[in-house]
Amino acid sequence: MMLKTIRTLLSGAGLAAVMALAAGGADAATSLKFTLDWKFEGPAAAFLVAADKGYFAAEGLDVTIDTGNGSAGAVTRVASGAYDIGMADFNSMMEFNDKNPDKAMKAAFIVYDIPPFSVFALKKSGIAKPADLAGKTLGAPVFDAPRKLFPAYAKAVGVPADGVTWKSMDPPLREPMLMRGEVQAISGFYFTSLLNLRALGVTEKDLTIFNFADAGVSLYGNALIPSPKLMKENPEAVKGFLRAVVKGWRDVVADPAGGIQAIRKRDPLIDDKLELDRLKMALEMCVLTPDVKADGMGGVRPERLAAAIDQVALAFGFARKPAPAEVFDASFLPAAADRKLTP
């Protein structure tokens, strides 16, 4: 009688979650704390959709999702034990491991198959090609992932890594300082800085944009990084989390506008059109790449990962270059067929 009443009150994912709990009897859901890399913006939609549609609950997980303070900062949040899983820059995780070998972590799922690492300059500055960056002052927060990895880009385009000067600022000041001419270029995530500049009245035709990937820099971007403790003590929770995440991304690919409504539930002040544009840019540039379309989301290609490690080791001056198996663990991934995002 109780289940019949529940069915009349709930439908869809809510019903699935309740039925899962009923079937599990007294088994309590596993609580997980998950940190995003940044604010509740377009690219966070897939994780929020997974929560709203009960995908985490159906896996027996009670997931708390918090905003982040940067794609590199999420690494330290997980390393400190404050969070169980983080959406964090894969390359910054490798840097952390090199400096803290006793606390080394591994990624379990690649979210941004191609990172949105970019450099922006106003065309009126005279910067038209990468070589023109030499001798210029570039701006970015100290924890900005593309700033930290600029040496890898510089080598790829033939610019001395120490041939530019960096000026640090808080994230909200990055694009305004470029506009005011206080720096000649900035580094940042493509879909973040481009839309921030657009909001300031700068059109794309006014900009010179260099994307790291266009220079052959074969890095991976943001990844899902579980704590070593969670990986060891509850591998099934990690696997369930990843299964739910793939479903969230699949839904967002099919209905980006629906994903933005999941963002709006957390932040009613968002600009829906702006965040939809941001999400679509992230999907096109970072998620729905040729490798992901061929292999499914989340995994790595061994030869590409080896090349990426070489580039990251060069950028950060690693004390010891890690083997691929030391930084990525594919054992938690759903089957390749289950990681497809499009039919």
Side-chain angles (χ1 to χ4, degrees), residues 220 290-291 294-295 299-306:
Y220 287 99
D291 281 1
D295 303 334
V300 298
R301 292 192 171 184
E303 67 283 357
R304 183 180 159 195
L305 178 55

Side-chain angles (χ1 to χ4, degrees), residues 135-157:
K136 301 297 193 296
T137 298
L138 278 64
V142 292
F143 53 78
D144 180 65
R147 170 180 173 170
K148 291 164 69 108
L149 289 155
F150 183 80
Y153 175 74
K155 181 177 182 182
V157 297

Side-chain angles (χ1 to χ4, degrees), residues 155-227:
K155 181 177 182 182
V157 297
V159 174
D162 59 357
V164 304
T165 300
W166 285 96
K167 188 170 185 176
S168 301
M169 72 281 294
D170 290 332
L173 299 178
R174 173 171 20 200
E175 290 79 19
M177 289 181 72
L178 178 66
M179 291 282 296
R180 294 195 296 265
E182 296 179 47
V183 294
Q184 286 76 58
I186 58 174
S187 67
F189 274 23
Y190 175 79
F191 47 73
T192 298
S193 288
L194 180 60
L195 292 178
N196 288 348
L197 286 164
R198 184 185 296 175
L200 294 174
V202 181
T203 65
E204 196 163 354
K205 65 181 178 60
D206 299 321
L207 295 166
T208 298
I209 305 173
F210 306 125
N211 293 323
F212 285 24
D214 292 340
V217 180
S218 59
L219 304 173
Y220 287 99
N222 279 15
L224 297 180
I225 302 173
S227 70

Side-chain angles (χ1 to χ4, degrees), residues 233-271:
E233 296 181 1
N234 199 340
E236 291 307 313
V238 178
K239 292 177 182 179
F241 184 89
L242 299 185
R243 284 192 294 267
V245 164
V246 172
K247 291 176 182 177
W249 278 104
R250 190 178 294 138
D251 286 356
V252 165
V253 168
D255 181 18
I260 298 307
Q261 294 313 302
I263 302 288
R264 171 165 285 283
K265 284 177 63 176
R266 278 77 177 181
D267 183 357
L269 299 180
I270 66 165
D271 180 326

